[in-house]
Amino acid sequence: MTEVSVAKDAAPAADGLVVLKNVNKHFGALHVLQDIDLTVARGEVVVVIGPSGSGKSTLCRTINRLETIDSGDIAIDGRPLPQEGRELARLRADVGMVFQSFNLFAHKTVLENVMLGQVKVRKADKKAAEEKARALLDRVGVGTQADKYPAQLSGGQQQRVAIARALAMDPKVMLFDEPTSALDPEMINEVLEVMQQLARDGMTMVVVTHEMGFARSAANRVVFMADGKIVEQATPDQFFSNPRSDRAKDFLSKILHH
Amino acid sequence: MNVLLDHLPEFREGFIGTVLLTLASGLLAMVLGVVIAGFRVSPIAPLRFFGTAWVTLFRNTPLTLLFLVAWFVVPVIFAPGLNPWTKALLALGFYTSAFVCEAVRSGINTVPLGQAEAARSIGMTFFQTLRLIVLPQATRTVIPPLSSIFIALTKNSAIAGAFSVTELFGVQKLLSDKGFAIAWIFLWVAIGYLVITFTISGLFRLLERRMGVAR
């Protein structure tokens, strides 16, 4: 009980790695993010779920400023997000992002995809970068595909390469924007397993997903969004077995009883 | 027929003049065009404005008018003492750069937005994203329109002949003033242009095929 209320009353801001305060955003007339307060502690895995159009992807993308916000504050590791420019680029290097559509660089091989950021952004030595890239590709289980182009890989393999590409920057936090939504069903698990492993290794993660199994097993906290608001947040156990809000009950009844 | 053989040095000089002018102004247009296209998609508003103004100005002005400006306005206001060849280079290069810019920009727009987003999320700056991720992928789409633009540039360079720059079309004026049969002169001049334009389209077709295999 105490654990739940701690989670609900937003974790202490002091050790928050990602802190969103009173964030608002509009797309034209649509108020996609309404007074969002969210704190993600170091090492915490936060899974954001909710119906389509609830603003979860937008929320995820505001954290590394791929989407700008209209008002409010976002800070990462105690530093507010800077304006577009060099400083923002530096900060983005510390925030890994995995997209629904993989977005691997189509004109580069798998190995080059994982090396590019290290060499061009971190100014790492080419040899060291290649070693690290190969180690990461092995870790996500696509080491043998290093010299292929992204288009030659299956969706699941591409997404694992995308995770390796993000990890190559040694990010402080990883953002996952519906990482399995564009995958064939038999490939979802290979990606989720990599993410599970990351979570066990203590990576701070914000995961927007429809995979309730992943939310149950890997999340420290589930954030439920609807209509641009955070409606409810709790531990997975608490949320799935005993949701408090009607909106969450309705959502769960629709997705869990099929 | 004999007009060619009797005046081979003039024709050769004119041909080389056209090739050089086309090459130089093509290079200038390429560099300017890519840079201005970068301006037009940049997040910095003044750069975008400058890019738009550049394209609007040079794409919508008749080339002959640009030549007149290069001959009679530029020397007075900006840079006195330019030789005719340089003035022709500037007029042709600036004019063509507007078209190159738009071709490059259309290429940039064919690269999925996610590519740039991914590049930005691993910490690349705007310039790195453009140079390393977006432009290389835009190249393939840009090559066919560029081919047309450079062929147009070759033919546009004829205007320089009217401004007494030594080039192929000017040879025609020179020789017809001397009273030689116009039809033959025209034929040889036309063949000269064909050689250049066929070479350009051949080169670009080669480039296209090379790009098609990669990736």
Side-chain angles (χ1 to χ4, degrees), chain B residues 9-40:
Chain B
E10 282 91 339
F11 273 103
R12 192 177 51 216
E13 212 177 314
F15 182 79
I16 292 173
T18 293
V19 170
L20 286 182
L21 189 59
T22 305
L23 273 179
S25 48
L27 200 68
L28 177 66
M30 229 10 243
V31 173
L32 281 174
V34 172
V35 171
I36 303 287
F39 284 6
R40 291 206 70 179

Side-chain angles (χ1 to χ4, degrees), chain B residues 47-65:
Chain B
L47 286 186
R48 275 203 307 274
F49 176 80
F50 179 83
T52 311
W54 181 279
V55 169
T56 309
L57 179 66
F58 287 109
R59 195 169 56 165
N60 297 314
T61 312
L63 183 54
T64 314
L65 193 64

Side-chain angles (χ1 to χ4, degrees), chain A residues 3-226:
Chain A
E3 200 186 329
V4 172
S5 58
V6 166
K8 188 184 128 200
D9 300 330
D15 68 330
L17 184 56
V18 178
V19 181
L20 287 83
K21 264 188 213 147
N22 206 19
V23 168
N24 280 281
K25 178 173 179 69
H26 297 78
F27 281 133
L30 185 67
H31 198 170
V32 274
L33 295 180
Q34 304 180 21
D35 302 322
I36 299 289
D37 288 305
L38 180 68
T39 301
V40 182
R42 213 172 291 273
E44 193 180 19
V45 177
V46 172
V47 170
V48 184
I49 61 175
S52 302
S54 58
K56 13 181 235 309
S57 274
T58 310
L59 175 71
C60 188
R61 290 162 56 86
T62 57
I63 296 176
N64 69 351
R65 211 171 181 277
L66 282 181
E67 298 284 355
T68 54
I69 55 175
D70 298 337
S71 67
D73 298 298
I74 300 177
I76 291 173
D77 209 5
R79 286 162 51 205
L81 281 191
Q83 291 296 303
E84 196 74 42
R86 254 167 217 291
E87 211 183 323
L88 180 63
R90 214 167 302 137
L91 186 133
R92 278 190 182 130
D94 291 336
V95 180
M97 177 101 186
V98 176
F99 299 87
Q100 180 176 348
S101 47
F102 329 134
N103 293 346
L104 291 178
F105 305 134
H107 62 309
K108 300 274 182 195
T109 65
V110 163
L111 184 68
E112 288 167 340
N113 263 277
V114 185
M115 285 174 62
L116 200 63
Q118 301 182 62
V119 174
K120 298 292 177 185
V121 178
R122 296 285 193 221
K123 310 292 177 198
D125 170 61
K126 265 215 166 119
K127 206 160 178 195
E130 182 178 337
E131 237 164 69
K132 186 173 177 183
R134 289 198 188 275
L136 281 168
L137 288 172
D138 282 338
R139 182 168 156 197
V140 299
V142 286
T144 53
Q145 318 287 336
D147 297 318
K148 291 189 180 168
Y149 283 89
Q152 296 169 290
L153 269 56
S154 74
Q157 289 171 328
Q158 288 190 52
Q159 194 60 299
R160 285 183 283 155
V161 174
I163 294 174
R165 176 176 67 181
L167 288 176
M169 307 303 291
D170 298 318
K172 293 174 181 164
V173 51
M174 288 276 285
L175 309 175
F176 293 85
D177 184 8
E178 303 203 25
T180 57
S181 297
L183 295 176
D184 292 339
E186 75 266 29
M187 291 170 187
I188 290 177
N189 277 335
E190 61 189 51
V191 172
L192 290 181
E193 270 161 30
V194 170
M195 292 167 61
Q196 295 265 18
Q197 188 57 49
L198 264 183
R200 278 196 293 272
D201 291 348
M203 175 62 75
T204 309
M205 294 162 66
V206 176
V207 184
V208 173
T209 188
H210 294 290
E211 295 298 326
M212 297 305 146
F214 178 82
R216 260 182 212 279
S217 60
N220 300 115
R221 181 159 44 124
V222 171
V223 170
F224 176 71
M225 281 187 78

Side-chain angles (χ1 to χ4, degrees), chain B residues 3 172-182 185:
Chain B
V3 73
Q172 166 272 135
K173 190 168 170 291
L174 184 84
L175 294 180
S176 47
D177 282 353
K178 286 185 181 171
F180 291 101
I182 275 180
I185 301 173

Side-chain angles (χ1 to χ4, degrees), chain B residues 68-88:
Chain B
L68 286 170
V69 170
W71 249 255
F72 302 112
V73 179
V74 170
V76 177
I77 299 178
F78 301 105
L82 287 180
N83 62 31
W85 197 84
T86 312
K87 286 185 272 193

